[in-house]
Amino acid sequence: SDLIQNAVFPEVPEAFKLLSKRDMIIPKGQVCCGLPAWSGGWLKEARGLARRNLEVLSPFSRWTILTLCTSCAYTIKNVWPGLFPKGTKEYRAVNEISRRVEDLTSYLAGRGKDILKRVDIHKVAVSVHLPCHERFLGRRDQDTAMLVKDLKADFRPMKPVCCGHGGTFARSNPETSRIIFQEALKEFERSGGDVLVTTCSGCLLQWRMGLQEIYGRKGRARVLHLAELLLKYSGRTESRSGLSCQNHLSDSARKDC
């Protein structure tokens, strides 16, 4: 799960719920992955958040642990191991869990391939904003842009650029964040895409706020999470998945569970 999605974009986990036929559990008690705290240099706070999540996720360490935010996946795989001394109980738990964590793109490239067979987006002009943390994962032959391109969409490539969100950066440095976003926006407009797709909740927030400020609601509607794009062009209208809503999703995201 993901803090921004639960609080601001509950339609994202709901989209995956409607799209997937898998049995899923969202364990109760999850908190922020700690990336904003870690990025701001608050290591004690980041460690506390990671420790709380370890307590919640450890009983599921033999399951596939899916997050719909690529930056959360990056944090669990690459940040959490550095928060705890080697040989400690927490360090061992992190290594066990991090091996089981997947973001949506890696999941769809493996265990979730069947989901893609139900999607038809060949008439949609799609541009993909690759989050910085997805690029940091180093999956050049298996990133979100390649996945969308392989779906035979009218793919409109963008250069890999930062959107300017950066966790707490957008709040602590709003002017610089805005300048960075303007450069990213130029790249999107140059690509000619009708829809922009991303997989990071922070990037999703930055793009939706930025385009809404310039173009109003129509601009905001041009930005989709990958799960929303796939659902929109899958033809699915009702849920068949066995999602157990154990967490504190908003009422709108929980009503169909």
Side-chain angles (χ1 to χ4, degrees):
S1 190
D2 164 55
L3 185 62
I4 293 180
Q5 289 175 11
N6 284 356
V8 185
F9 303 129
E11 63 270 21
V12 173
E14 180 69 2
F16 183 75
K17 178 191 127 174
L18 291 167
L19 190 64
S20 176
K21 294 181 179 180
R22 305 291 196 280
D23 288 340
M24 294 176 286
I25 293 176
I26 304 179
K28 184 178 180 180
Q30 295 178 78
V31 293
C32 174
C33 69
L35 179 59
W38 179 80
S39 299
W42 302 309
L43 299 186
K44 180 180 178 181
E45 289 77 7
R47 187 176 298 110
L49 292 167
R51 184 176 287 116
R52 174 58 182 154
N53 283 312
L54 285 174
E55 293 171 356
V56 174
L57 295 175
S58 288
F60 303 94
S61 61
R62 296 185 181 276
W63 291 42
T64 295
I65 300 175
L66 175 67
T67 175
L68 299 180
C69 177
T70 296
S71 294
C72 291
Y74 171 86
T75 302
I76 296 171
K77 288 178 174 293
N78 294 277
V79 175
W80 284 11
L83 294 175
F84 302 101
K86 292 183 178 180
T88 62
K89 178 181 177 181
E90 290 95 341
Y91 184 82
R92 291 191 295 271
V94 166
N95 279 280
E96 184 66 30
I97 287 173
S98 64
R99 288 196 294 265
R100 307 293 294 177
V101 168
E102 295 191 57
D103 69 346
L104 182 56
T105 299
S106 63
Y107 178 76
L108 292 171
R111 298 171 184 268
K113 276 185 177 179
D114 60 298
I115 293 174
L116 300 178
K117 296 177 182 178
R118 303 191 294 269
V119 177
D120 182 5
I121 58 174
H122 71 278
K123 295 182 180 180
V124 187
V126 182
S127 298
V128 174
H129 169 73
L130 284 181
C132 295
H133 290 104
E134 179 168 353
R135 288 185 277 123
F136 296 162
L137 286 171
R139 303 180 312 208
R140 294 185 180 181
D141 59 343
Q142 197 186 29
D143 62 21
T144 304
M146 292 297 295
L147 185 146
V148 171
K149 186 176 182 180
D150 289 345
L151 286 173
K152 310 302 181 186
D154 180 5
F155 180 64
R156 305 298 179 93
M158 287 176 58
K159 294 179 182 177
V161 291
C162 178
C163 69
H165 187 263
T168 57
F169 180 82
R171 291 185 62 84
S172 58
N173 300 274
E175 301 263 336
T176 305
S177 173
R178 185 181 180 85
I179 292 171
I180 295 171
F181 175 75
Q182 290 295 332
E183 292 302 310
L185 178 59
K186 289 178 185 178
E187 180 60 23
F188 174 44
E189 291 176 335
R190 182 207 60 77
S191 74
D194 294 324
V195 174
L196 181 137
V197 172
T198 190
T199 55
C200 167
S201 299
C203 297
L204 189 67
L205 181 64
Q206 181 85 336
W207 278 102
R208 284 187 174 172
M209 290 177 62
L211 288 186
Q212 180 169 319
E213 181 180 337
I214 298 170
Y215 301 112
R217 290 186 177 181
K218 289 184 179 180
R220 179 186 176 91
R222 294 176 66 188
V223 184
L224 297 175
H225 187 279
L226 177 61
E228 295 177 293
L229 176 78
L230 298 179
L231 176 65
K232 185 173 182 178
Y233 296 100
S234 69
R236 292 185 64 82
T237 57
E238 61 182 19
S239 174
R240 297 180 184 176
S241 65
L243 177 62
S244 174
C245 289
Q246 293 188 15
N247 72 336
H248 45 278
L249 289 175
S250 69
D251 290 341
S252 61
R254 194 168 50 211
K255 63 184 179 180
D256 291 326
C257 294

